[in-house]
Each structure stands twice: as structure tokens, then as C-alpha cells.
Amino acid sequence: NRCTLAAVITIPWTTKANNAPFEQAYAVVGDVVEFIWDQAEGPHNVFIHPTRTCNQTGRIAIGNISPVYYSFMEDDASPEGNTLMFACDVENHCEELGMRFRVTVYSTTLPPWAAPVAPIAPTQPTPAPVSPTEAPVAPTLDPTASITGEPTFFPTWSPTISPTATPVVPATLAPTAVPVIPPTSAPVVPETVAPTLVAVIPTE
């Protein structure tokens, strides 16, 4: 598969454990290649290697701070296509960790066989698409129906149950009057009758 031709070709410039090089791309004069990486991952840089290998003889520095851009010029191209190789020259990144990328540059238009395909996408982690979940099943109970003792799903708060009829307050019976017992007449104390003195006449 051939890499895409695009106005900007974005390359996620990072090491590869399997040492596989980046897929070759095809471009025309005026197209731009962009190298991006996470600075926290470690240092990287971008060089053009005229040798088209990891041999650094005659290398041309492009940049070492992400993002790095390179616009293809007439000197980079030819009618039949001229191949440039970009590499990272930090430690063994080119030789053993796959940080090498080739672009064939054409002067005007691409040949028919170099049809563009999907563009190279950066490898920054993106959230996985979430599969749509099944639509929630609407509760079969009418919230306005009489309460059956089963919990309902709507509303979510505890509904206030209004009485269906005005409560009848039992009439309050008037208290039975407590019979009032009239007080009895004050007791009459009989007058004390002075004892009658009886004269005792002694007999002879």
C-alpha cells in the first residue's frame, strides 16, 4: 500500500519496537511533511540523509523540537520522482527503532499508479468510539396511575400522595356537663342547754 499524497503529510515521529520503518509516501513540489512527537517521550530530531540509509554522511538538519515541518522544493523533486529519506539520529533510533521515513517527490503531478489513499494519522491516543447503547425502555406504569405498591421509575423523587377525598374529621362531642351537687346547708349546731340543777334535799 502506498502512503497518501496530501498538502500536509503528518508523521507521528516515535520509536518502533519492531524496527519497522514508516510507510513510504509520495508528494509533489509544495507539499509539506510534518513530524510530531511527545517531548516527554524523550529527545528526537529530524535529518535528511542523502545516503537514503542510516549512514549520516552529508546529513541535513531539519529540526529537533516538535513539530518539525519541511516543504518540498524543486531541488527535492524530479519528473520521474526523487526519493528523500528522513531519519532520527538520536542514539540508535534510525538503525534499530524504525525512525526512518522515505518520500518520493515529483515535480508536478503524481503518476497514475501513485493514487492517494487514506492520510497518515498521528498516533496520539484517541478515545475509542463508544458503541451506541440500547435505548432505555420507557416505564409501563403511568406515573399518574394509582399506587400499587410497586416502585415506579418516574419521577425519581418520592412522590407526595395527595388524599383522594377530603378527610372527614369526626365531630367532637361536647363534654357531658358534670352534675353540680349544691352544697348542703351548713349543719346547725343545736344550742347547748344548760343542765338543770336539781336540789338534793338530804333526808333525816
Side-chain angles (χ1 to χ4, degrees):
N1 292 335
R2 294 182 176 85
C3 189
T4 188
L5 162 68
V8 177
I9 302 172
T10 300
I11 301 299
W13 202 227
T14 185
T15 57
K16 296 184 177 182
N18 62 359
N19 195 27
F22 289 88
E23 186 176 13
Q24 180 167 340
Y26 299 85
V28 294
V29 173
D31 287 346
V32 175
V33 61
E34 174 192 35
F35 298 88
I36 60 174
W37 65 89
D38 184 356
Q39 297 286 162
E41 177 187 309
H44 294 309
N45 54 40
V46 182
F47 284 85
I48 292 177
H49 284 194
T51 61
R52 300 176 187 171
T53 67
C54 291
N55 185 314
Q56 300 179 13
T57 302
R59 66 180 185 172
I60 302 168
I62 305 301
N64 61 1
I65 297 177
S66 178
V68 172
Y69 297 94
Y70 184 80
S71 179
F72 297 109
M73 301 174 290
E74 291 288 349
D75 293 344
D76 300 321
S78 69
E80 64 277 5
N82 179 53
T83 299
L84 301 181
M85 189 181 113
F86 297 88
C88 176
D89 286 346
V90 173
E91 299 177 350
N92 61 345
H93 291 186
C94 179
E95 296 87 346
E96 298 180 11
L97 295 176
M99 295 192 72
R100 49 194 185 272
F101 171 59
R102 291 179 175 85
V103 182
T104 300
V105 186
Y106 292 85
S107 300
T108 54
T109 58
L110 294 177
W113 52 264
V117 292
I120 300 175
T123 57
Q124 281 87 345
T126 54
V130 179
S131 300
T133 56
E134 295 182 1
V137 179
T140 56
L141 295 179
D142 186 346
T144 60
S146 58
I147 297 175
T148 61
E150 296 292 333
T152 59
F153 299 96
F154 180 85
T156 55
W157 57 88
S158 299
T160 302
I161 302 172
S162 301
T164 56
T166 304
V168 178
V169 180
T172 304
L173 298 178
T176 304
V178 178
V180 178
I181 302 174
T184 57
S185 302
V188 177
V189 179
E191 296 182 358
T192 304
V193 179
T196 302
L197 296 178
V198 177
V200 178
I201 302 174
T203 58
E204 294 181 354

